[in-house]
Each structure stands twice: as C-alpha cells, then as structure tokens.
Amino acid sequence: MRTTRTSSSPADRIRSSRPKRHRAIVTALLTVGLILTAQSAAALTGQEIIERLDDQQTFETSIMEGRMIITDRFGDRVSTFIAHSEGADRFLVEFTSRDEEGQRVLRRDDTIYLYYPDARETIELRGSALRDDLLGSDISYEDMTGGRGLLEDYDATLLDEVEADGHNTYKVELQARTTDVAYPKQVYYVDTEDFVLRKAEQFARGGRLLKVTEILETRREGEYHYPAHIRVTDKTRGSSGTEMILENVQIDVSLPSGIFSLEELTW
Amino acid sequence: MKLAKIALRNVFRNRRRSFLSMLAVAVAAMAMTNMFALLEGMKEDLRQNTWNYESGEVRIRNADFDRYEHLNPVHYVVPDYRALTEQLAELPEVGAISPRINVPGMAFRGEEQISTRGIGVDFDLEAEFQDLEGLVARGRLPRPGTSEAVLGAGLARELNVGIGDAATFLTQTRTRSSNAFTVDIVGIADFPMGGLNSSTYILPIEAAGRYLRMGDASSEILLKSSRAGTEALEQAVHSLLGERGVEGMAVTDWTQVSAGYDYLQMADAVYNIVALFFFVLGCTVIINTTMMTIHERVHEIGTLSAMGMRGGELIRLFFTEAAYLGIAGSLLGTLVGVAIAVPLGAIGIDFGGAMETAGMDMSNVLHPVVNIRSTLGVFVFSAVVAMAASFLPATRAARLRPVDALRK
C-alpha cells in the first residue's frame, strides 16, 4: 500500500504562508491606521475645527441669490439680494428688492463701501461703523460680508462635545486676541461629522449675550457644505430675528472682472 | 397828614441811614426785576424755538409715532398731507402752517459718524411760519424741487463743507429700509440753538419725500394759531380731522411736547421763592434800620408820647416812614432793573454752550423781556414787604412808656 506524503518543503511552507502574513500585516496596518485616524479626530484642537469650518465656508468665488426676512415689532419685510464673493476678503451684495433696488455693499479687506443710487458718493465704513445693522436687520455689515478668517482674530479652544439642534457638535470658544472685533467672545457649535456650523453665540466683553445665530438648513455643493438658511437674533434689541435664505448658489464660478472695484460699485 | 409830614421829615433827618435802607430794597427789587425779565425771556425763547423747530403751537402727527418715537418709526405718517394742509389753512383759527418731513440719519467723516436731522419743508408755507431767511448766515435758501440744502453752521464745520460742496446723509425710509442721498449745499444757517446748529439741515419737502419714499405722506404738520389761541386751534383741528374721517392722528399742543416747558413752570415757582428770599434779606436791613432809628429816637418817642401821641399813632408814624423808604427803594430798584433789562433784551445775553448742556430747546443768546405785570408785581411786593418789615420794631416803640423813654 502506497502512502502519499502530503507534507511540503520548508520553502513551500514559506511560500504558502505569505498571503496569510500579508493579510495579517495589512489588517494590522489598517487597525493601526483606523486607531490613529480615530485618535487624530478625537484629538482635534479648537483651532483645527475652526480651520475646517472656514474651509467649508470660504469659497474661491461664489454667486449667491437669496432673501432676507427682517422681523421686528412692526412686522416682516423681505429684501432680496445677489451676492458675489472672492475668498474671505472680497464681497459684494446688491439688493434687488423694490425698496432697496440698486443699493450695493462692497467689502474689500477691512473696509465696507455703501452705494446708494440717490447718493453721488459712496459711504465708507470702517472700525465700529462696520457693526451697524444692515437695513435695520439683526445682521451687521460685518456679519453679512464676512471678512478675514476667524483664526486671524481669535484663539479657539475646544470646550466640549455637545448636542445642538439635534446634531453632535464641537463646542468651541473663540476669544478675541484684539479689541478690533465686533464680538470679544464667540461660542461656535460645529458639526462633528461634516464640520458645518450649527449654531453660534456672540458675547460682549462682560459676558452679555449679544446675538444668536441658528443654522436652520445646510446645503452641499461639491466639496462644500454651507449654511443655507440662517436666523440671527440680536438679543440686545429684543427683536424676533432676521432670517437669511440662500436660494441659488454657484460656487467656484468665474466672476466679471473688476466686480469688486470701486469704479464698478458706482457704475 | 401831620403824621405823613413828620414821617417824611424823619426820613430826611438821617439821610445816610435812610439811603442805605432804601438801597437795600432797591437792590432786591432790581435783582428780581432782572430775574423775572430773564425768566420771561427764557419762556419766550423756549416757546419760539419749540413752535418753530419742534412742535409748532399745535402738532398733528401719527399717534403711533408718538408711541414708538424711541424707535424712530418713520413709517408712521400723516397721509395725504397736501390735501389736509389746504383744508387746515382755510380754518380761521390757523395763522400759519408747516407740513414737514423729518429725516433722521447720519453723516460720515472718516471713521466718525455724525448724527444728523434733516427737516424737509415747504418753503412757501415756511416763510409765513417762521423767518427762515433770517437764519441763513451765508448763501441762500434751497429752491423747491431741487436737491439743495441749508446746513447748520456747526454741522457744516463738523463735515468740513461749505457752500458749493455736497454732503451725503444716510437715513431710514418709510418702508423701514435704508437710503442715502446727496444734497448740494447752498446756504449756511445760524440756528439759535447749538444743538440744532450742529446737527440740522433744511431741504425741500419734495426731496425729503423722495429720499424717504414717503409718497404723499409727511411726518407731521405744525400749526400756529391766528389770534384764536392754542386751545381754540387744537379744537378746530380735532373737528376738521373728525369731519374728514382721518383716524389715528395725535393733535398735541406745544406745552405737552416741550420738555423745557415743565422745567420753566418749575423755575417760575423757584424764582418766586428766590424773590421772597431776596426780600427777606432786604427786610433785615429795613428792620435793622428801623430798630436803630427807634433806639436813637427813644427820647423823641418819649416826648411824643408825653405830648399825647398814642401807641397806634406811633406805629403809623414808623410804618409811614418805612413806606416812604420801601416805595422809594422799590421804585428805584424796579426802574434801574427795567433800565438794565431793556437794553439787554435788545442786545441779548450770550450763554454760549451752557444752554446745550441744559438739554432744553433754548437759544445760546437769551433776550430778557420786561413783562409789565411781573414788573408791577415786583414793585408792589417790594414796597409792601418793606412796610411790613417795620411793623415789629414800630410795635416795640409804641409799647415804651413815656417816663421810661425820657429816662433813657
């Protein structure tokens, strides 16, 4: 009776064991990778969270059409607008509603220029004037037109992970490094999954709550995820708030040349 | 008659003392005459300023505007103001009428924001309402229908602009939106109040209406009465609004609007107390003089008593002497007071910026006004108080027994 040896040579054993070892190494690497990824996400600093938020919301260029609903004790009124932006420092809003038709607000770096069809010269706003309300709304010129990145003016500290309006969020405190800002302290609630802002609170130096910004709806556009329906309530005025709704947004589109120039503003 | 002669002789017996007594009364009377003239001037000034720049003698405004005035509710208006103005002008109680559109807002100079107040007026009607032409220090008044404006001298200085320049103002519209507009400066006005000078400009009502999207509405209609008086005017306006079925309007007389009016009412009472205080001071001099007189004339009193003059007659004697001094002193004081107040009324007293900080609608230059009633009041009051002051020492003198008096 012939017996068949099924034993293999050491080389064969080595050969046959290679795929298993590869799998083990890959599995180990993936596990380490996953652990590292998880650890790096958990270890995000306040600054990193705000950086990712800024990335989500700062477009190379954009054209947005929307409307603003201003509610106060005398009722509601609606203003429609079309806004153009380039990076974080250039922003142009033109109002298209009947009452404000032709009025434009241009932000270039740290200066805001207001153009009104009845005026023969533009109004230049700087410093504290940037904090004046826009069309009597709860939104200031500075709020509306954005401006340089948050981290240029604020130190960000991650306080906690909390639930805000049904979303898991990072609660990040922003303390101003300079007195030249509208809000000495802000608290941002940034979504832990997609780094979109869900809520923000703005405070005065003494800790008094000035404004609350609630994000009622967000929208995805390519790699961007941005707030599309916002309600800002100025707590110092006892108003019912101002809602801003973005209805048509085009991101990374080419803009007419010179659109952010002063010549174009008055043209 | 005899007593009057004796009293007159006694007054002239010690002229220096009598003169000092009379002077004390005169100084008090003069001070009070001037104080009341100044108060009267302040009242008149406040009235004129309130009528011309704030509320008219009677004001028609949307009742809800008054309610939310602190929120600057431009949208609460007087509708169809032109037709209403025409009908109001026909009322016999109406002397002058001024529909206005107020333009709250601000101007910018660099990073600085300057609060401004534009007043859109109908220049034809305004000419009857107040002397706007007289306020223009340089240049001219704007032409109706243009985008021209007259700026207060202080505002022009703040904005660093002059005649021929343009100024841009940011304001709020009737639709509660914002708007900015540019005006051509054709004149510089010298408003009587510093507060107005540094913030106010006047422009045609049509331009103001266009910039504020007012349509056919105005912010308010100010009225001055003919000779009918404030109350009759107010009633007539109420009746007309009722007949026309215009609802939601507030018709207010100026005393309810002017913050300074209440202050002056209070000042009136305070000044009366101050007047009394002055006279009490003056009276101490008279009492002192009369007592000294009595002390020096004890022998004489004894002699008079011995000759049969009774206590009552002695009181009347000293009383008459005090009356001579009091009447002469108050007459002198009042006349000197009037003599000072009248030219001051013509020239005016410049209080500079002091009136701006008082928070009242009062001019920097005040013109004292001599009011006949208050001046006569000061004269009579001074004389009476001086006479009354002599009563106590005169009574003491009358109580002296002739024997005791002659021994002293």
Side-chain angles (χ1 to χ4, degrees):
Chain A
M1 191 175 156
R2 190 179 167 189
T3 56
T4 306
R5 281 189 70 180
T6 55
S7 64
S8 54
S9 67
D12 289 341
R13 282 202 299 276
I14 290 167
R15 236 177 270 129
S16 65
S17 72
R18 264 182 193 156
K20 284 183 187 171
R21 288 185 72 182
H22 279 163
R23 274 200 296 275
I25 289 165
V26 168
T27 308
L29 282 173
L30 278 173
T31 309
V32 169
L34 281 171
I35 290 166
L36 285 175
T37 310
Q39 277 178 341
S40 73
L44 276 177
T45 63
Q47 186 164 336
E48 287 163 337
I49 293 164
I50 296 301
E51 270 171 9
R52 292 182 72 165
L53 170 76
D54 269 348
D55 288 345
Q56 289 270 13
Q57 294 182 180
T58 310
F59 316 126
E60 201 148 304
T61 58
S62 73
I63 301 174
M64 301 180 216
E65 284 177 65
R67 64 198 153 99
M68 202 157 66
I69 306 166
I70 303 162
T71 308
D72 58 23
R73 71 176 71 211
F74 303 119
D76 288 353
R77 59 199 164 93
V78 179
S79 299
T80 55
F81 62 86
I82 177 162
H84 297 77
S85 76
E86 187 180 84
D89 298 324
R90 296 193 164 201
F91 199 90
L92 173 72
V93 189
E94 179 168 352
F95 289 93
T96 50
S97 37
R98 196 174 71 95
D99 293 333
E100 299 90 15
E101 196 168 1
Q103 295 180 9
R104 293 176 197 156
V105 181
L106 169 68
R107 177 166 192 142
R108 279 174 28 147
D109 304 316
D110 287 335
T111 307
I112 283 175
Y113 302 89
L114 309 179
Y115 167 75
Y116 291 87
D118 284 330
R120 294 200 297 269
E121 51 195 7
T122 56
I123 295 170
E124 200 176 313
L125 299 181
R126 278 188 202 160
S128 60
L130 301 180
R131 290 154 213 168
D132 289 348
D133 55 59
L134 175 75
L135 303 179
S137 71
D138 296 60
I139 300 171
S140 69
Y141 290 105
E142 197 162 36
D143 293 336
M144 177 78 176
T145 59
R148 56 191 173 181
L150 281 166
L151 294 172
E152 285 186 44
D153 294 322
Y154 291 91
D155 288 323
T157 312
L158 175 62
L159 295 181
D160 203 355
E161 280 187 36
V162 294
E163 195 181 295
D165 299 332
H167 298 273
N168 286 326
T169 61
Y170 295 116
K171 183 179 179 183
V172 181
E173 183 182 275
L174 296 157
Q175 280 286 357
R177 280 196 296 269
T178 161
T179 53
D180 192 26
V181 290
Y183 312 111
K185 182 182 139 183
Q186 301 193 65
V187 174
Y188 271 36
Y189 297 83
V190 183
D191 200 304
T192 54
E193 283 181 23
D194 46 23
F195 293 90
V196 71
L197 183 68
R198 294 291 171 188
K199 188 181 171 187
E201 294 162 341
Q202 281 86 27
F203 297 87
R205 194 162 302 282
R208 185 183 175 208
L209 181 62
L210 298 174
K211 282 184 187 176
V212 173
T213 304
E214 296 159 279
I215 312 303
L216 305 175
E217 187 191 328
T218 63
R219 194 176 297 163
R220 284 184 189 279
E221 197 85 31
E223 61 190 277
Y224 298 107
H225 190 188
Y226 55 88
H229 186 174
I230 303 165
R231 179 167 56 221
V232 180
T233 311
D234 187 335
K235 295 292 180 184
T236 61
R237 306 200 315 180
S239 73
S240 308
T242 297
E243 285 184 38
M244 189 163 358
I245 302 157
L246 300 180
E247 286 162 340
N248 183 16
V249 178
Q250 299 169 58
I251 296 171
D252 293 345
V253 289
S254 70
L255 300 176
S257 65
I259 192 169
F260 301 107
S261 69
L262 286 172
E263 292 74 29
E264 283 287 320
L265 181 69
T266 54
W267 192 73
Chain B
M1 189 63 193
K2 204 174 177 183
L3 272 179
K5 273 186 181 173
I6 297 168
L8 192 63
R9 195 188 62 207
N10 287 341
V11 165
F12 284 103
R13 190 186 282 170
N14 191 333
R15 286 178 185 168
R16 189 180 293 172
R17 192 170 53 216
S18 298
F19 176 72
L20 281 174
S21 298
M22 193 181 70
L23 195 65
V25 178
V27 167
M30 183 195 70
M32 285 323 302
T33 304
N34 280 297
M35 205 185 280
F36 281 117
L38 183 62
L39 184 68
E40 202 60 37
M42 286 165 85
K43 275 184 186 172
E44 179 58 23
D45 183 76
L46 183 84
R47 188 178 64 82
Q48 283 299 335
N49 289 341
T50 308
W51 285 17
N52 289 338
Y53 308 111
E54 196 177 0
S55 65
E57 191 175 350
V58 168
R59 180 181 68 194
I60 304 171
R61 203 151 85 169
N62 192 303
D64 284 328
F65 190 100
D66 286 343
R67 197 169 153 207
Y68 296 108
E69 191 164 6
H70 60 291
L71 296 171
N72 216 358
V74 177
H75 58 289
Y76 288 130
V77 296
V78 179
D80 197 10
Y81 82 89
R82 285 191 183 90
L84 184 58
T85 301
E86 277 174 24
Q87 285 177 315
L88 284 164
E90 284 170 18
L91 291 175
E93 290 85 357
V94 173
I97 187 163
S98 170
R100 292 181 181 184
I101 292 178
N102 294 319
V103 189
M106 58 180 66
F108 297 85
R109 198 178 80 169
E111 285 190 23
E112 198 186 349
Q113 293 182 30
I114 300 157
S115 286
T116 58
R117 178 198 174 200
I119 308 176
V121 300
D122 180 320
F123 286 100
D124 291 335
L125 292 172
E126 201 66 26
E128 291 169 29
F129 194 81
Q130 64 164 320
D131 181 20
L132 263 189
E133 198 87 50
L135 291 177
V136 179
R138 279 176 289 140
R140 59 171 174 82
L141 285 174
R143 292 193 185 97
T146 62
S147 297
E148 296 174 343
V150 164
L151 264 65
L155 179 61
R157 214 170 24 248
E158 286 270 327
L159 296 175
N160 200 20
V161 291
I163 294 169
D165 292 334
T168 297
F169 300 98
L170 182 63
T171 188
Q172 202 183 329
T173 66
R174 185 182 174 186
T175 53
R176 289 184 291 129
S177 188
S178 62
N179 192 22
F181 57 91
T182 304
V183 292
D184 296 307
I185 302 163
V186 294
I188 302 295
D190 198 4
F191 291 104
M193 296 126 77
L196 277 184
N197 246 344
S198 60
S199 65
T200 306
Y201 58 97
I202 294 175
L203 69 168
I205 195 165
E206 309 85 19
R210 200 166 58 242
Y211 300 141
L212 268 68
R213 318 275 189 256
M214 293 291 272
D216 63 351
S218 73
S219 309
E220 58 194 11
I221 297 176
L222 309 188
L223 301 139
K224 284 182 183 174
S225 69
S226 51
R227 294 191 176 180
T230 309
E231 207 172 314
L233 175 64
E234 199 177 344
Q235 277 173 2
V237 172
H238 268 298
S239 303
L240 180 75
L241 292 179
E243 282 166 23
R244 285 194 76 206
V246 180
E247 287 178 354
M249 295 296 122
V251 181
T252 320
D253 82 69
W254 74 283
T255 58
Q256 292 171 275
V257 176
S258 171
Y261 181 79
D262 288 340
Y263 175 82
L264 279 185
Q265 293 292 96
M266 191 183 74
D268 220 354
V270 171
Y271 277 21
N272 281 323
I273 295 166
V274 172
L276 190 66
F277 180 71
F278 264 81
F279 286 122
V280 167
L281 279 178
C283 287
T284 56
V285 181
I286 293 172
I287 291 168
N288 187 43
T289 312
T290 318
M291 284 179 81
M292 280 169 67
T293 310
I294 289 162
H295 186 72
E296 283 173 13
R297 289 160 60 190
V298 168
H299 273 283
E300 186 189 329
I301 292 166
T303 311
L304 289 170
S305 299
M307 286 170 71
M309 190 177 268
R310 292 177 186 170
E313 285 171 320
L314 276 170
I315 290 173
R316 280 207 298 280
L317 175 70
F318 286 107
F319 195 73
T320 311
E321 283 181 30
Y324 285 146
L325 291 173
I327 290 167
S330 48
L331 185 67
L332 178 71
T334 312
L335 286 176
V336 172
V338 170
I340 293 170
V342 168
L344 274 181
I347 302 162
I349 307 169
D350 193 349
F351 285 87
M355 285 299 165
E356 287 172 47
T357 52
M360 287 197 294
D361 302 330
M362 223 169 281
S363 305
N364 293 343
V365 179
L366 287 175
H367 299 266
V369 174
V370 177
N371 179 298
I372 293 171
R373 211 173 69 174
S374 66
T375 307
L376 273 176
V378 168
F379 169 70
V380 172
F381 187 70
S382 311
V384 168
V385 170
M387 285 187 268
S390 70
F391 187 74
L392 192 69
T395 314
R396 272 192 65 188
R399 280 204 207 109
L400 278 172
R401 290 193 306 160
V403 179
D404 295 336
L406 287 168
R407 269 191 198 146
K408 284 191 179 177

